[in-house]
Amino acid sequence: ALKDIFHFKNETVTMGSKINGNYKPEEDATVVKLLKDAGAIFTGKLNMHEYACGGTTNNEHYGACRNPWNMDKIPGGSSGGSAAAVSAHLTFGSLGTDTAGSIRIPSAACGTVGLKPTYGLVSKHGCFPLAWSLDHVGPIAKTVEDAAILLDAIVGFDPEDPNSVQSTERNYYDSLNPDIKGKIIGIEEEFYFNFVDQSIVDTVRSSIQKMEELGAKVEIIKMPHLKYAPFAEFTTFVSEAGVIHKKNIQTRPDDFGSDVKMLMKASHVISAGEYIEAQQIRQLIKEDFEKAFKQVDFMIAPTLPMTTPDIGAKFTMINGVERSVDEDIIRLTCPANLTGLPAISVPCGLVNDLPVGLQIIGKAFAEKEILNAAYALEQVVSFNQTPAGI
């Protein structure tokens, strides 16, 4: 079952919206074609944040999606239905889209594995866009093995996608190997471990220690421009989304949900200079990562800085300080979107009976590297994947 953003020929695809509530595309999305060719059986379409423009899946048109671990909690977003359905054993796997973290955020909240591949590795043709330069398509699954199987099915160059890239990498499932002896884990503390709930920090650091026991080494690195990532992410995605939805913002503003309407209107006040500044910051962050990957094999960080918020909550507490849910929920995931680097969220434990996600970020096209690291962690972290009552 897929997020309701992928085109299915002659079937209703809503994008979680009222405006496109009766839209029926004339062809399948490329990834839908590829999954059909691989023998996938589709059982339904899954709830999402409207137009993928949010991290909670509080959808004003179709109802809030709920977290199987606690029905009062959000499942994350924007691919909240995908992670919730996998977590609740309603589907063996799903695909999501990720513009600021929308595969990894719900995977962390729902205890699933979510992989955002390298930009351009998986075709976006037939997937309604949020922000062209930030959008990615990737798998959400129960295990690292399942995520690798799904990735094998959907990678490949697509001439219909102008951002699609040629890559000879294949056989992600066959290449899985939990041996990480000698691998160097990069830890960036000033951004990725700052303003993060202490219980999440402790859980992630415990998992890193387990990886050290498997023979990996840890190196502390400095990435001075990461602190500007939230500004660059917000400015880029809101500006690009504003162009995509320009006509409807002008002619049907009240048909957007209130939160998405506010973001779309914000696109009108971002200047060209601010957008250019955001792209300059992106380049500096890319250079930070390039420098870091000369020292380390991959990086590890929490996926979410907060424990899973309640449905409808605008604010959350992080170590006694009130923080905005909408702003903070994408804070640790957005750098991988700005850079286009592959990143995976894998469950690493529970806090308050809710899953915690650990994020592994790799070099461009190093999906095998981060899948193997996640696979190694999966072998040593005890995690009951079944929510209570399911």
Side-chain angles (χ1 to χ4, degrees), residues 110-347:
C110 294
T112 60
V113 175
L115 171 63
K116 183 197 78 63
T118 303
Y119 186 77
L121 185 67
V122 176
S123 173
K124 300 191 294 288
H125 178 66
C127 172
F128 195 90
L130 173 58
W132 297 289
S133 72
L134 298 167
D135 292 346
H136 300 68
V137 173
I140 294 176
K142 298 176 187 295
T143 66
V144 174
E145 287 183 324
D146 286 356
I149 290 169
L150 277 170
L151 185 62
D152 277 330
I154 61 175
V155 295
F157 176 73
D158 180 9
E160 297 293 333
D161 179 358
N163 302 123
S164 184
V165 297
Q166 294 276 7
S167 175
T168 58
E169 290 290 347
R170 289 291 190 282
N171 303 317
Y172 297 100
Y173 174 73
D174 290 339
S175 300
L176 285 176
N177 183 349
D179 183 7
I180 57 170
K181 188 175 182 179
K183 296 294 183 181
I184 302 176
I185 301 169
I187 304 296
E188 200 287 334
E189 295 183 323
E190 291 184 15
F191 178 80
Y192 281 117
F193 286 84
N194 196 15
F195 287 110
V196 178
D197 188 273
Q198 189 59 47
S199 63
I200 293 175
V201 170
D202 293 343
T203 303
V204 171
R205 288 196 184 278
S206 174
S207 296
I208 293 170
Q209 184 177 348
K210 288 184 171 72
M211 296 180 82
E212 288 184 277
E213 292 168 1
L214 293 175
K217 302 176 182 178
V218 169
E219 185 165 330
I220 305 299
I221 55 177
K222 300 288 186 181
M223 300 178 71
H225 299 101
L226 277 178
K227 60 187 176 183
Y228 305 116
F231 163 78
E233 173 72 27
F234 180 84
T235 302
T236 302
F237 103 73
V238 171
S239 298
E240 295 181 4
V243 173
I244 292 166
H245 294 279
K246 181 178 180 180
K247 181 179 178 180
N248 286 328
I249 297 170
Q250 294 172 339
T251 61
R252 304 180 61 177
D254 293 333
D255 287 337
F256 290 98
S258 59
D259 60 332
V260 177
K261 176 182 175 181
M262 181 178 64
L263 286 171
M264 295 302 172
K265 287 193 169 184
S267 68
H268 292 174
V269 299
I270 296 174
S271 68
E274 288 170 321
Y275 182 83
I276 292 169
E277 184 181 8
Q279 307 323 300
Q280 293 171 329
I281 290 170
R282 287 178 82 169
Q283 183 57 38
L284 292 173
I285 294 172
K286 287 180 181 179
E287 291 171 6
D288 279 352
F289 274 102
E290 289 170 2
K291 182 179 179 181
F293 284 132
K294 290 178 181 178
Q295 303 172 249
V296 304
D297 294 297
F298 50 84
M299 294 177 56
I300 286 183
T303 307
L304 292 176
M306 64 189 73
T307 56
T308 308
D310 291 337
I311 291 173
K314 299 297 183 184
F315 298 95
T316 187
M317 300 298 291
I318 298 179
N319 300 331
V321 178
E322 188 176 74
R323 307 277 295 191
S324 165
V325 170
D326 288 339
E327 291 179 15
D328 263 29
I329 204 164
I330 67 169
R331 176 159 50 91
L332 304 184
T333 51
C334 72
N337 294 90
L338 289 166
T339 58
L341 296 173
I344 188 170
S345 181
V346 61

Side-chain angles (χ1 to χ4, degrees), residues 68 83-92 142 384-387 390:
V86 171
S87 176
H89 307 306
L90 300 176
T91 179
F92 284 103
K142 298 176 187 295
N384 180 2
Q385 288 188 305
T386 302
I390 291 179

Side-chain angles (χ1 to χ4, degrees), residues 70-107:
N70 182 328
M71 299 287 275
D72 293 326
K73 301 289 184 178
I74 65 168
S78 61
S79 311
S82 296
V86 171
S87 176
H89 307 306
L90 300 176
T91 179
F92 284 103
S94 186
L95 298 185
T97 60
D98 194 312
T99 304
S102 289
I103 289 171
R104 291 159 289 152
I105 291 167
S107 291

